[in-house]
Amino acid sequence: MLKAIIFDFDGTVADTFDTIVAISNRLALEFGYKQAAPEEIEQIRNLSSREIIRQSGVSIFKLPFILRKLKNELNNEISRLNPLSGIDEALSELKRQGYRLGIITSNNRENVMLFLEKNKLQELFEFIYSGANIFGKSRVINRFLKQANLTPQEVIYVGDETRDIEAAKRSQIKMIAVSWGFNSKTVLAEHNPDFLIHHPKELIQVISTLR
């Protein structure tokens, strides 16, 4: 029986896509990788997370430093960011139905807390887990399952990137991919999530089938 719903943060709950692209472009000169031109953005959305890193030419050794700088700069922008359209209503309804809601993200916990407080969403979430490695979400999910005393069958993950699908599969939990975030519906479908939805109101419909 489904008891808890885990959400990714960037691109799933928070509308951070344009801001993250802008910050990444600002950091390109400092860290020596190629900026994303406006006409390339849609193409980038059709690439998996690993393909984006390979195409950018970023050294794997520089990646942790780039991510740390990006998160720090995002902290300066967080007060101006908004929830994705319709996600707050869907979250409120799922909470009303009695599900435990939480966030697992590679963003900083501080950024998430600031965003939730600014948008009056903090009461909806029971837990927030943050992991520094962008490809280490499955380890964070597993740690959460153990600490919350939940089985994989009692949890579902909601995210907007191919790496979210990969993490859910590694942790053997069902996954709802959302096409309103970073990756396009095309590349998300290629990675075979359990569900693929295109508007937050569809969350309610999918969750109702899992009761």
Side-chain angles (χ1 to χ4, degrees), residues 90-99 101 123-126:
L91 292 168
S92 296
E93 176 58 22
L94 292 170
K95 183 74 171 180
R96 187 193 67 77
Q97 292 180 11
Y99 294 105
L101 307 183
E123 298 301 322
L124 297 177
F125 291 99
E126 181 179 326

Side-chain angles (χ1 to χ4, degrees), residues 126-188:
E126 181 179 326
F127 55 88
I128 299 169
Y129 282 68
S130 175
N133 187 329
I134 66 169
F135 293 111
K137 280 191 177 180
S138 62
R139 290 194 293 273
V140 183
I141 291 170
N142 294 341
R143 187 168 74 241
F144 158 71
L145 291 174
K146 185 175 182 180
Q147 293 179 353
N149 196 28
L150 290 166
T151 67
Q153 294 72 34
E154 293 173 320
V155 175
I156 195 164
Y157 187 70
V158 183
D160 69 311
E161 294 185 58
T162 58
R163 63 192 177 102
D164 295 321
I165 301 174
E166 292 172 5
K169 287 180 177 179
R170 286 197 204 99
S171 296
Q172 299 183 317
I173 63 175
K174 288 189 179 298
M175 200 276 175
I176 302 173
V178 304
S179 66
W180 59 75
F182 186 83
N183 277 136
S184 71
K185 62 184 179 182
T186 302
V187 73
L188 290 171

